[in-house]
Amino acid sequence: MADDPKSTLALLNGIARRNYYGDKDITDSFLKDEIYPDLPEDQFNQLLSRCSSLLKSMVSADMDMTQLEAFITAQMKRKEGALSETQANVFRKFWKTNKTKVHDSIVAHTTWGNSLQKVSWRIDLKSQARHIDEINTPSAIMELHLSDGQNIEKTGDVVRFEMDEDHLSSVLQSMQEIEQEIAKNSQQ
Protein backbone atom coordinates (compact mmCIF):
# COMPACT_ATOMS: atom_id res chain seq x y z
CA MET A 1 0.00 0.00 0.00
CA ALA A 2 1.12 3.52 -0.62
CA ASP A 3 2.23 5.10 2.63
CA ASP A 4 1.05 8.69 2.19
CA PRO A 5 -1.55 9.25 4.94
CA LYS A 6 -3.50 11.92 3.06
CA SER A 7 -3.81 9.75 -0.05
CA THR A 8 -4.83 6.69 1.95
CA LEU A 9 -7.43 8.72 3.85
CA ALA A 10 -8.73 10.17 0.58
CA LEU A 11 -8.99 6.65 -0.87
CA LEU A 12 -10.93 5.41 2.17
CA ASN A 13 -13.27 8.40 1.95
CA GLY A 14 -13.79 7.77 -1.75
CA ILE A 15 -14.56 4.09 -1.18
CA ALA A 16 -16.99 4.97 1.61
CA ARG A 17 -18.73 7.61 -0.51
CA ARG A 18 -19.13 5.17 -3.38
CA ASN A 19 -20.00 1.99 -1.48
CA TYR A 20 -21.93 3.30 1.52
CA TYR A 21 -23.19 6.82 0.76
CA GLY A 22 -24.39 6.08 -2.78
CA ASP A 23 -22.16 8.51 -4.72
CA LYS A 24 -22.26 6.95 -8.20
CA ASP A 25 -19.84 9.50 -9.67
CA ILE A 26 -16.87 7.92 -7.89
CA THR A 27 -15.36 5.20 -10.05
CA ASP A 28 -12.10 3.29 -9.82
CA SER A 29 -10.59 5.39 -12.58
CA PHE A 30 -11.73 8.61 -10.85
CA LEU A 31 -10.05 7.50 -7.60
CA LYS A 32 -6.85 6.58 -9.44
CA ASP A 33 -6.73 9.82 -11.46
CA GLU A 34 -7.44 12.04 -8.45
CA ILE A 35 -5.48 10.30 -5.68
CA TYR A 36 -2.80 8.08 -7.23
CA PRO A 37 -2.15 9.34 -10.78
CA ASP A 38 1.49 8.10 -10.79
CA LEU A 39 0.83 4.64 -9.38
CA PRO A 40 0.80 1.81 -11.95
CA GLU A 41 -2.67 0.38 -12.69
CA ASP A 42 -2.00 -3.07 -11.20
CA GLN A 43 -0.61 -1.61 -7.96
CA PHE A 44 -3.56 0.74 -7.68
CA ASN A 45 -6.04 -2.09 -8.22
CA GLN A 46 -4.29 -4.12 -5.53
CA LEU A 47 -4.37 -1.14 -3.15
CA LEU A 48 -8.03 -0.45 -3.92
CA SER A 49 -8.96 -4.08 -3.40
CA ARG A 50 -7.08 -4.27 -0.10
CA CYS A 51 -8.58 -1.03 1.27
CA SER A 52 -12.08 -2.04 0.12
CA SER A 53 -11.70 -5.44 1.73
CA LEU A 54 -10.48 -4.03 5.05
CA LEU A 55 -13.21 -1.40 5.07
CA LYS A 56 -15.87 -4.00 4.25
CA SER A 57 -14.68 -6.15 7.17
CA MET A 58 -14.84 -3.17 9.51
CA VAL A 59 -18.33 -2.22 8.32
CA SER A 60 -19.83 -5.70 8.31
CA ALA A 61 -18.64 -6.32 11.87
CA ASP A 62 -19.70 -2.79 12.93
CA MET A 63 -16.46 -2.71 14.92
CA ASP A 64 -16.11 -0.60 17.99
CA MET A 65 -12.70 0.95 18.66
CA THR A 66 -11.48 -2.03 20.72
CA GLN A 67 -12.41 -4.48 17.98
CA LEU A 68 -10.85 -2.19 15.39
CA GLU A 69 -7.61 -2.10 17.35
CA ALA A 70 -7.44 -5.90 17.47
CA PHE A 71 -8.27 -6.09 13.76
CA ILE A 72 -5.66 -3.48 12.80
CA THR A 73 -3.03 -5.17 14.97
CA ALA A 74 -3.72 -8.48 13.23
CA GLN A 75 -3.42 -6.76 9.84
CA MET A 76 -0.09 -5.23 10.87
CA LYS A 77 1.31 -8.66 11.84
CA ARG A 78 0.50 -10.33 8.51
CA LYS A 79 3.46 -11.71 6.59
CA GLU A 80 2.22 -10.48 3.21
CA GLY A 81 0.46 -7.18 2.66
CA ALA A 82 0.81 -6.02 6.25
CA LEU A 83 -0.35 -2.54 7.17
CA SER A 84 2.32 -0.05 8.21
CA GLU A 85 1.88 1.97 11.39
CA THR A 86 1.07 5.04 9.26
CA GLN A 87 -1.66 3.19 7.38
CA ALA A 88 -3.03 1.73 10.61
CA ASN A 89 -3.31 5.24 12.03
CA VAL A 90 -5.19 6.36 8.91
CA PHE A 91 -7.67 3.47 9.29
CA ARG A 92 -8.15 4.35 12.98
CA LYS A 93 -8.72 8.01 12.17
CA PHE A 94 -11.10 7.22 9.33
CA TRP A 95 -13.16 4.77 11.40
CA LYS A 96 -13.31 7.08 14.42
CA THR A 97 -14.79 9.88 12.32
CA ASN A 98 -16.96 7.83 9.94
CA LYS A 99 -18.25 4.79 11.84
CA THR A 100 -21.57 6.35 12.83
CA LYS A 101 -22.21 7.87 9.39
CA VAL A 102 -21.48 4.58 7.62
CA HIS A 103 -23.66 2.63 10.05
CA ASP A 104 -26.55 5.08 9.70
CA SER A 105 -26.26 5.00 5.91
CA ILE A 106 -26.41 1.20 5.85
CA VAL A 107 -29.40 1.16 8.19
CA ALA A 108 -31.20 3.75 6.04
CA HIS A 109 -30.55 1.75 2.86
CA THR A 110 -31.80 -1.49 4.40
CA THR A 111 -35.03 -0.11 5.86
CA TRP A 112 -37.86 -0.53 3.36
CA GLY A 113 -40.96 0.24 5.34
CA ASN A 114 -41.81 2.60 8.12
CA SER A 115 -39.70 2.64 11.25
CA LEU A 116 -40.66 3.33 14.81
CA GLN A 117 -39.05 6.53 16.07
CA LYS A 118 -40.69 7.05 19.45
CA VAL A 119 -43.11 5.30 21.78
CA SER A 120 -45.05 7.13 24.48
CA TRP A 121 -47.50 5.51 26.85
CA ARG A 122 -49.36 6.03 30.06
CA ILE A 123 -51.79 4.09 32.22
CA ASP A 124 -55.14 5.68 32.94
CA LEU A 125 -57.70 4.49 35.41
CA LYS A 126 -61.30 4.80 34.29
CA SER A 127 -63.27 5.82 37.31
CA GLN A 128 -66.73 6.55 35.91
CA ALA A 129 -68.89 6.01 32.90
CA ARG A 130 -72.24 7.40 31.90
CA HIS A 131 -74.22 4.42 33.27
CA ILE A 132 -71.82 3.01 35.87
CA ASP A 133 -70.74 4.91 38.98
CA GLU A 134 -67.42 3.16 39.67
CA ILE A 135 -65.43 1.25 37.08
CA ASN A 136 -61.80 1.35 38.30
CA THR A 137 -60.40 -0.42 35.26
CA PRO A 138 -56.94 0.45 33.99
CA SER A 139 -56.30 1.20 30.33
CA ALA A 140 -53.07 1.88 28.47
CA ILE A 141 -52.92 4.88 26.15
CA MET A 142 -50.24 4.36 23.47
CA GLU A 143 -48.70 6.84 21.04
CA LEU A 144 -46.38 5.63 18.28
CA HIS A 145 -44.35 7.99 16.09
CA LEU A 146 -43.54 6.41 12.72
CA SER A 147 -41.28 7.68 9.96
CA ASP A 148 -40.70 6.71 6.36
CA GLY A 149 -37.77 4.27 6.26
CA GLN A 150 -36.05 6.18 3.43
CA ASN A 151 -36.53 9.67 4.88
CA ILE A 152 -36.08 9.68 8.66
CA GLU A 153 -35.89 13.49 8.87
CA LYS A 154 -39.42 13.84 7.49
CA THR A 155 -42.15 13.96 10.11
CA GLY A 156 -44.14 10.78 9.83
CA ASP A 157 -47.41 9.47 11.16
CA VAL A 158 -48.51 9.46 14.78
CA VAL A 159 -50.71 6.55 15.80
CA ARG A 160 -52.68 6.76 19.05
CA PHE A 161 -54.78 4.00 20.55
CA GLU A 162 -56.11 2.67 23.83
CA MET A 163 -55.89 -0.88 25.18
CA ASP A 164 -57.76 -2.46 28.05
CA GLU A 165 -56.11 -4.80 30.52
CA ASP A 166 -56.82 -7.98 28.51
CA HIS A 167 -55.55 -6.52 25.25
CA LEU A 168 -52.42 -5.19 26.98
CA SER A 169 -51.73 -8.63 28.47
CA SER A 170 -52.11 -10.17 25.03
CA VAL A 171 -49.67 -7.67 23.49
CA LEU A 172 -47.13 -8.21 26.27
CA GLN A 173 -47.38 -11.98 25.80
CA SER A 174 -46.77 -11.56 22.06
CA MET A 175 -43.74 -9.37 22.76
CA GLN A 176 -42.31 -11.96 25.14
CA GLU A 177 -42.74 -14.65 22.46
CA ILE A 178 -40.97 -12.43 19.91
CA GLU A 179 -38.16 -11.75 22.38
CA GLN A 180 -37.74 -15.48 23.04
CA GLU A 181 -37.61 -16.23 19.29
CA ILE A 182 -34.99 -13.52 18.74
CA ALA A 183 -32.93 -14.83 21.66
CA LYS A 184 -33.23 -18.39 20.41
CA ASN A 185 -32.22 -17.49 16.84
CA SER A 186 -29.40 -15.15 17.83
CA GLN A 187 -27.67 -17.83 19.91
CA GLN A 188 -27.24 -20.20 16.96
Side-chain angles (χ1 to χ4, degrees):
M1 275 193 198
D3 231 9
D4 177 30
K6 287 183 181 180
S7 296
T8 306
L9 185 59
L11 182 61
L12 290 174
N13 281 314
I15 293 168
R17 284 181 54 194
R18 177 181 66 192
N19 295 352
Y20 304 111
Y21 306 146
D23 192 339
K24 302 295 182 203
D25 295 333
I26 297 180
T27 62
D28 291 353
S29 59
F30 175 80
L31 291 172
K32 182 181 182 331
D33 293 343
E34 294 295 318
I35 303 170
Y36 293 104
D38 299 330
L39 198 63
E41 190 74 32
D42 61 327
Q43 287 182 1
F44 174 76
N45 288 335
Q46 185 180 14
L47 173 64
L48 180 65
S49 174
R50 178 90 167 119
C51 286
S52 295
S53 174
L54 292 174
L55 190 55
K56 184 177 181 181
S57 296
M58 292 162 51
V59 170
S60 65
D62 195 26
M63 293 181 185
D64 61 22
M65 293 311 285
T66 305
Q67 292 170 319
L68 176 69
E69 194 58 43
F71 178 70
I72 293 293
T73 302
Q75 296 303 316
M76 290 172 64
K77 291 182 179 179
R78 289 179 58 162
K79 291 183 181 176
E80 283 187 35
L83 288 177
S84 68
E85 185 62 40
T86 304
Q87 293 162 338
N89 287 335
V90 170
F91 274 90
R92 288 180 191 107
K93 179 181 178 182
F94 171 82
W95 195 241
K96 185 176 182 180
T97 58
N98 290 286
K99 177 188 184 309
T100 304
K101 279 176 47 179
V102 169
H103 176 79
D104 291 346
S105 176
I106 289 173
V107 169
H109 284 93
T110 57
T111 304
W112 293 288
N114 290 339
S115 62
L116 183 62
Q117 296 300 309
K118 180 181 171 187
V119 175
S120 302
W121 62 275
R122 71 174 193 260
I123 302 293
D124 282 353
L125 189 63
K126 289 184 180 180
S127 58
Q128 296 184 338
R130 189 179 301 170
H131 303 292
I132 304 170
D133 286 339
E134 283 192 34
I135 299 175
N136 292 332
T137 58
S139 67
I141 313 263
M142 302 290 297
E143 184 175 277
L144 309 176
H145 294 258
L146 306 173
S147 71
D148 179 16
Q150 298 299 320
N151 190 4
I152 294 175
E153 293 82 30
K154 188 181 99 177
T155 304
D157 297 328
V158 176
V159 178
R160 292 180 187 94
F161 57 94
E162 185 174 341
M163 295 186 289
D164 63 11
E165 188 174 5
D166 294 334
H167 193 198
L168 182 60
S169 295
S170 173
V171 168
L172 289 174
Q173 179 62 34
S174 296
M175 289 179 142
Q176 287 174 344
E177 290 170 7
I178 291 169
E179 183 180 15
Q180 290 169 352
E181 276 300 309
I182 290 171
K184 183 175 86 175
N185 291 322
S186 65
Q187 292 175 351
Q188 293 177 354

